[in-house]
């Protein structure tokens, strides 16, 4: 089969690789679409993936083309989305229902071959069966949405909450859509990209600006979410949290990112600073939300590329052009 392969950090090529074979409790999926996200940039830059070469692609959905001997409830031809998380199930954190902190953490498309290929193997336990009305080529949105759902799992939720979100790319826009349904009084968006701010306005945010200085919020915000991973945004966001408020670090920063904090202000204003990492018991809920129409794929997906143009799609994503970019192998 053909697959996009990160051969070494900084080098990617579409190559012929062996077809995957399902284990007893596995299926083989033919991806209809696979998303590109910030994790893929980190892999390309030599981070996250433990070894190379690696086939990326952890956001994907498609059709089952083969099943293992012990698979039940699924058959060839079924349309599914795949949770890429591979938890060991026996470490300290897995036994405490914190699989996303697994001491032996692994993931399809990060530590083992992913969906940027004609075929990919996945455990039966990681499948979400797509309803008939949800196209597999759109269901690659389920994985990033499941990360956003996890983010909201760690946030306090109360009616009439004011939100400030840094970054109006795919994840920021997903956070916007969830905040609107979680009792938000207002959702303000900050981004330097005017096209992305235009999409935030289209989705009904309360304000969209290139600087939080332009927002009328003398008491700050109840919840501030960083979806950028950028030091400047994080630094500014921490200063915008109101008394008793919460700051969520959701965006993935580089390993060497550093931001100073003011312990006295955390103490004085009783600020909570928290993070959320990937997926935790949120994949099926995200699938249900997408099936219910929480997100409009026509708005969220801006570009679709063939597998041969994976490198170009990755470059476009790095340049910040568009929203969710999908590869259709």
């Amino acid at each position: 089969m053909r697959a996009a392969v990160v051969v070494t950090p900084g080098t990617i090529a579409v190559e012929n690789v062996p077809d995957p074979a399902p284990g007893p409790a596995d299926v083989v999926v033919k991806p209809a679409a696979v998303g590109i996200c910030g994790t893929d940039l980190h892999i390309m830059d030599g981070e996250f993936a433990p070894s190379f070469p690696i086939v990326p692609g952890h956001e994907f959905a498609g059709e089952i083309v083969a099943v293992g001997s012990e698979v039940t409830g699924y058959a060839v031809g079924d349309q599914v989305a795949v949770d890429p998380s591979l938890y060991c199930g026996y470490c300290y954190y897995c036994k405490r229902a914190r699989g996303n902190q697994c001491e032996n953490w692994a993931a399809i498309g990060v530590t083992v071959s992913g969906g940027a290929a004609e075929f990919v193997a996945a455990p039966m336990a990681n499948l979400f069966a797509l309803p008939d009305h949800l196209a597999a080529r759109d269901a690659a949105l389920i994985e990033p949405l499941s990360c956003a759902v996890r983010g909201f799992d760690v946030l306090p939720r109360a009616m009439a909450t004011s939100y400030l979100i840094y970054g109006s790319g795919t994840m920021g826009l997903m956070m916007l859509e969830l905040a609107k349904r979680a009792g938000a009084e207002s959702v303000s968006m900050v981004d330097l990209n005017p096209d992305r701010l235009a999409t935030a306005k289209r989705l009904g945010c309360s304000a969209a600006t290139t600087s939080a200085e332009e927002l009328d919020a003398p008491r700050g915000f109840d919840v501030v979410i960083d979806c950028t991973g950028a030091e400047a945004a994080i630094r500014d966001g921490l200063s915008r949290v109101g008394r008793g408020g919460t700051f969520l670090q959701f965006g993935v920063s580089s390993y060497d990112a550093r931001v100073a904090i003011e312990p006295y202000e955390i103490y004085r204003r009783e600020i909570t600073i928290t993070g959320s990492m990937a997926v935790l018991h949120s994949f099926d809920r995200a699938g249900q939300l997408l099936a219910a129409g929480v997100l409009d794929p026509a708005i969220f997906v801006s570009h679709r590329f063939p597998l041969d143009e994976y490198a170009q799609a990755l470059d476009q994503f790095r340049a910040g052009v568009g929203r969710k970019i999908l590869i259709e192998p």
Side-chain angles (χ1 to χ4, degrees):
M1 71 171 182
R2 295 168 65 255
V5 181
V6 181
V7 182
T8 59
T11 304
I12 191 164
V14 176
E15 301 179 347
N16 289 318
V17 300
D19 289 354
D26 297 339
V27 303
V28 173
V29 175
K30 178 176 177 57
V34 55
I36 291 178
C37 88
T39 297
D40 298 302
L41 292 184
H42 284 279
I43 292 171
M44 186 67 173
D45 293 340
E47 301 172 345
F48 290 5
S51 63
F52 295 89
I54 186 72
V55 177
H58 60 281
E59 304 175 357
F60 65 96
E63 179 180 345
I64 295 176
V65 296
V67 298
S69 59
E70 298 176 8
V71 170
T72 59
Y74 295 95
V76 171
D78 287 352
Q79 306 292 305
V80 295
V82 179
D83 180 350
S85 308
L86 301 174
Y87 308 144
C88 73
Y90 57 80
C91 75
Y92 178 91
Y93 294 103
C94 282
K95 287 186 174 182
R96 285 154 181 78
R98 296 299 299 268
N100 65 335
Q101 301 298 320
C102 175
E103 294 173 321
N104 304 292
W105 185 89
I108 300 169
V110 182
T111 61
V112 300
S113 292
E118 292 180 301
F119 305 103
V120 57
M124 173 184 66
N126 291 46
L127 304 180
F128 174 79
L130 301 180
D132 292 341
H133 71 275
L134 181 56
R137 69 193 301 261
D138 294 330
L141 291 170
I142 291 176
E143 196 282 338
L145 181 58
S146 71
C147 295
V149 171
R150 169 60 188 157
F152 266 82
D153 283 347
V154 306
L155 286 174
R157 286 184 296 281
M159 300 303 294
T161 294
S162 61
Y163 290 83
L164 173 61
I165 300 174
Y166 287 77
S168 54
T170 300
M171 299 314 307
L173 296 176
M174 286 185 174
M175 287 298 203
L176 163 62
E177 290 289 65
L178 293 182
K180 287 161 50 181
R181 292 162 174 82
E185 173 269 327
S186 63
V187 187
S188 300
M189 307 291 294
V190 176
D191 200 299
L192 300 178
N193 186 318
D195 291 335
R196 290 181 170 177
L197 288 177
T199 303
K201 292 177 182 178
R202 180 180 177 186
L203 292 176
C205 69
S206 306
T209 179
T210 57
S211 171
E213 288 288 347
E214 301 174 13
L215 300 171
D216 182 15
R219 294 184 177 86
F221 295 85
D222 299 318
V223 173
V224 177
I225 304 172
D226 172 69
C227 294
T228 70
E231 292 180 12
I234 297 166
R235 189 178 303 112
D236 190 64
L238 286 167
S239 72
R240 309 288 175 183
V241 183
R243 299 186 185 196
T246 300
F247 179 89
L248 171 63
Q249 186 54 50
F250 184 82
V252 181
S253 299
S254 61
Y255 288 160
D256 59 355
R258 297 291 184 271
V259 175
I261 62 172
E262 299 178 67
Y264 177 76
E265 285 302 304
I266 296 172
Y267 152 79
R268 184 181 72 84
R269 290 187 279 147
E270 292 192 343
I271 293 172
T272 298
I273 300 175
T274 187
S276 68
M277 191 277 194
V279 181
L280 183 65
H281 310 306
S282 54
F283 197 86
D284 281 20
R285 286 181 289 151
Q288 292 165 349
L289 286 171
L290 188 65
V294 166
L295 306 182
D296 182 354
I299 295 176
F300 273 79
V301 178
S302 61
H303 296 80
R304 298 176 188 267
F305 287 85
L307 182 62
D308 284 339
E309 297 179 16
Y310 189 95
Q312 296 94 307
L314 196 64
D315 288 342
Q316 178 173 313
F317 180 85
R318 190 187 294 274
V321 177
R323 295 175 296 281
K324 176 52 67 178
I325 296 174
L326 298 181
I327 304 297
E328 299 189 338

